[in-house]
Amino acid sequence: MDKKIIVAPSVLSADFSEIKGALADIKASGAPWVHLDVMDGSFVPNITFGSKFIADIRKHSDLFFDAHLMVREPQNHIEDFAKAGCQAITVHSEACVHLDRTLNQIKTLGCKAGVSIVPSTPVSMIEGILEIVDIVLIMTVNPGFGGQSLIPYTLEKVKRLVEIRGNRDFLISVDGGISDRTIVEASNAGIDIAVAGSAFFASKDKADFVSRISRGYGKK
Ligand code: DX5
Ligand code: ZN
């Protein structure tokens, strides 16, 4: 199969004081996307950065900015993230009462609209809105931190989404614990996008890492 997986390195695992270098490393690796983990310390236990940080780093990268909002009430911030230069904005179904409205808000601002579910949330929770999403982000760890191990049952949700996708054209992304060891199973499950934080930044040869992950190959 020739399908290439989009590799989206997460800057969460970068040294924020060296962020320009991290963006240059991502560019040089051949990865087309940059994954931006926004955490509010309430929906998830950790706090990272907001739209100003993204607007500032936007000047130093021409890659596709994929924002993952792990925040409560994301509808209050979506315009700021769109203006900051995010090209995809993903919100959590668990954080949105009016998910349909929030996803349409993202699309109206000209961004790809993504929905994410944590490991304990079943696919059935988002089946009704699959018509209007561009990306479904399956969390393969409990969100909040990088460097955790992939929870195997979450890949069953990827398989379920592939089964029910039909003619719809949303992309399926996985986030958390993606590495040389886990990519094969994730790829076999049918993913389109792989987010990788710690494994990317720990790689000595990042171009080789991206090339292998994009083809769904583990390390020889
Ligand atoms: C976790 C974040 C992830 C994180 C992945 O809450 O959403 O994007 O950066 O990190 P790794 O690849 O280290 O599991
Ligand atoms: Zn993420």
Side-chain angles (χ1 to χ4, degrees):
M1 206 170 60
D2 300 306
K3 188 185 97 174
K4 278 231 174 162
I5 295 166
I6 297 169
V7 183
S10 166
V11 299
L12 183 62
S13 295
D15 177 344
F16 287 2
S17 69
E18 302 284 352
I19 196 70
K20 280 201 258 179
L23 293 168
D25 285 349
I26 296 173
K27 176 79 176 177
S29 75
W33 285 21
V34 177
H35 185 82
L36 298 158
D37 286 307
V38 178
M39 303 187 187
D40 68 351
S42 172
F43 180 68
V44 288
N46 204 0
I47 300 178
T48 54
F49 49 78
S51 58
K52 177 172 189 307
F53 178 81
I54 296 176
D56 288 350
I57 69 169
R58 181 72 278 184
K59 295 173 226 150
H60 304 289
S61 176
D62 60 1
L63 297 180
F64 185 95
F65 273 14
D66 173 37
H68 176 194
L69 305 190
M70 286 160 275
V71 304
R72 292 194 196 280
E73 310 287 347
Q75 69 279 359
N76 300 336
H77 308 285
I78 279 160
E79 197 172 340
D80 290 342
F81 284 100
K83 283 189 182 150
C86 298
Q87 284 135 318
I89 299 178
T90 294
V91 295
H92 270 267
S93 91
E94 303 88 357
C96 297
V97 174
H98 304 292
L99 183 57
D100 173 272
R101 177 185 288 150
T102 305
L103 291 167
N104 279 308
Q105 192 188 350
I106 296 171
K107 285 161 64 142
T108 302
L109 288 162
C111 299
K112 301 267 182 221
V115 65
S116 184
I117 51 176
V118 303
S120 60
T121 301
V123 167
S124 57
M125 282 301 289
I126 54 167
E127 269 191 53
I129 47 86
L130 290 178
E131 300 300 327
I132 60 166
V133 294
D134 300 302
I135 299 168
V136 178
L137 176 61
I138 298 293
M139 284 309 302
T140 38
V141 297
N142 288 296
F145 304 95
Q148 304 180 77
S149 298
L150 182 142
I151 299 169
Y153 74 76
T154 58
L155 293 179
E156 297 305 315
K157 293 196 271 185
V158 173
K159 293 178 193 163
R160 173 82 187 130
L161 280 167
V162 170
E163 250 172 52
I164 65 176
R165 179 157 46 183
N167 296 329
R168 304 180 191 103
D169 57 3
F170 61 81
L171 299 175
I172 303 170
S173 182
V174 283
D175 185 3
I178 296 299
S179 69
D180 285 315
R181 287 182 299 287
T182 56
I183 187 60
V184 179
E185 216 180 320
S187 171
N188 289 341
I191 61 168
D192 304 294
I193 304 164
V195 176
S198 50
F200 174 84
F201 282 99
S203 286
K204 289 209 172 69
D205 187 343
K206 293 179 172 51
D208 177 62
F209 177 81
V210 168
S211 158
R212 280 184 293 102
I213 296 291
S214 71
R215 286 173 294 133
Y217 292 167
K219 203 167 181 99
K220 287 161 229 137

